[in-house]
Amino acid sequence: MSQSRDGAPPGTDGAPQRVDAQRNRERILAVALTELTRDAGTPLSAIAKKACVGQGTLYRHFPNREALVFELYRHEMQQVADAAPELLRTHAPQRALREWMDRLARYYMTKIGLAEAIRRATSSPAGGTAPRPTPLLEAIELLLAANEKAGTVRPGVSADDFVLAIAGLWQIDPAQDWQPRAERLLDLVMRGLSATNTPQGNTMDISHDPPPCPTCPPPTPLLSPPPTRDS
């Protein structure tokens, strides 16, 4: 049987080869995620071996270590981002936001080894700039907009505000019992975002001193003068 230029039987347009190549790529990414999460310094040769592909196959998909690490980061980030619209389809907006925050925390805490691999990739001579977290920011904006429309989040909160609010996650040690601390932090963030925490007309006016109390003794100065001694 004659073959086309890419080695596929005529009329198939290389489909079997493309399917095999895609499967190899997915297997490499799955193994790399496991191994680099466990140890950021795992050699590419070990990843290729565990993925049951040759090193040449690995390098055809990912020409260097940095390309593999950045694709892993992009892929994992997209997985977390894609959960946002799905949660909004199946949950009320406030519940969807809280569930998504849990997923984000779990992603960060369980992928700390991958974070180290990304740090190494961006600082290596052959490295570059890690992909921007645009999908995550878009997911945050989607969730905030749905909650603002539902009246469950105070208006005007931006994705940048949200990221600053949850920045305490990055201070939690994932090697310890991180879940209770993360849940407490995210509960506090949810309370801070809640529209019920912005009651109208219930703010304290501190622009002037309160009127004096007619029955109270005069206030004691914060810095009292030293007592005088009788001569």
Side-chain angles (χ1 to χ4, degrees), residues 172-184:
I172 299 175
D173 185 356
Q176 297 181 1
D177 187 17
W178 60 266
Q179 286 181 298
R181 296 188 65 192
E183 288 175 2
R184 175 172 170 75

Side-chain angles (χ1 to χ4, degrees), residues 123-205:
S123 60
S124 74
T129 304
R132 288 182 55 78
T134 303
L136 291 181
L137 294 176
E138 290 175 347
I140 293 168
E141 289 172 353
L142 178 68
L143 289 160
L144 290 176
N147 276 272
E148 185 173 334
K149 184 177 180 180
T152 49
V153 163
R154 63 179 68 198
V157 179
S158 69
D160 287 340
D161 295 332
F162 179 89
V163 171
L164 287 173
I166 65 169
L169 283 174
W170 326 143
Q171 306 303 318
I172 299 175
D173 185 356
Q176 297 181 1
D177 187 17
W178 60 266
Q179 286 181 298
R181 296 188 65 192
E183 288 175 2
R184 175 172 170 75
L185 172 65
L186 296 180
D187 284 344
L188 290 172
V189 171
M190 285 295 293
R191 289 176 194 150
L193 292 172
S194 174
T196 60
N197 284 340
T198 56
Q200 296 297 317
N202 191 29
T203 57
M204 182 181 294
D205 183 2

Side-chain angles (χ1 to χ4, degrees), residues 65-178:
R65 184 182 192 86
E66 292 73 29
L68 174 59
V69 170
F70 289 158
E71 180 56 28
L72 273 177
Y73 175 52
R74 187 180 296 105
H75 180 266
E76 289 298 294
M77 185 166 49
Q78 191 65 56
Q79 293 288 101
V80 177
D82 287 346
E86 179 60 31
L87 286 169
L88 284 171
R89 279 193 292 270
T90 56
H91 296 72
Q94 192 172 40
R95 186 70 246 168
L97 175 60
R98 187 63 177 82
E99 290 276 348
W100 190 84
M101 290 163 69
D102 285 338
R103 294 192 186 199
L104 181 64
R106 191 160 52 248
Y107 161 72
Y108 174 75
M109 294 298 167
T110 59
K111 303 294 191 299
I112 194 67
L114 182 57
E116 174 61 17
I118 294 167
R119 187 194 66 78
R120 294 186 187 185
T122 54
S123 60
S124 74
T129 304
R132 288 182 55 78
T134 303
L136 291 181
L137 294 176
E138 290 175 347
I140 293 168
E141 289 172 353
L142 178 68
L143 289 160
L144 290 176
N147 276 272
E148 185 173 334
K149 184 177 180 180
T152 49
V153 163
R154 63 179 68 198
V157 179
S158 69
D160 287 340
D161 295 332
F162 179 89
V163 171
L164 287 173
I166 65 169
L169 283 174
W170 326 143
Q171 306 303 318
I172 299 175
D173 185 356
Q176 297 181 1
D177 187 17
W178 60 266

Side-chain angles (χ1 to χ4, degrees), residues 12-35:
T12 64
D13 295 324
Q17 282 71 13
R18 286 200 298 271
V19 170
D20 287 345
Q22 182 63 24
R23 287 174 179 167
N24 286 339
R25 186 177 189 277
E26 291 172 355
R27 195 157 55 241
I28 292 167
L29 286 171
V31 171
L33 177 62
T34 299
E35 296 303 313

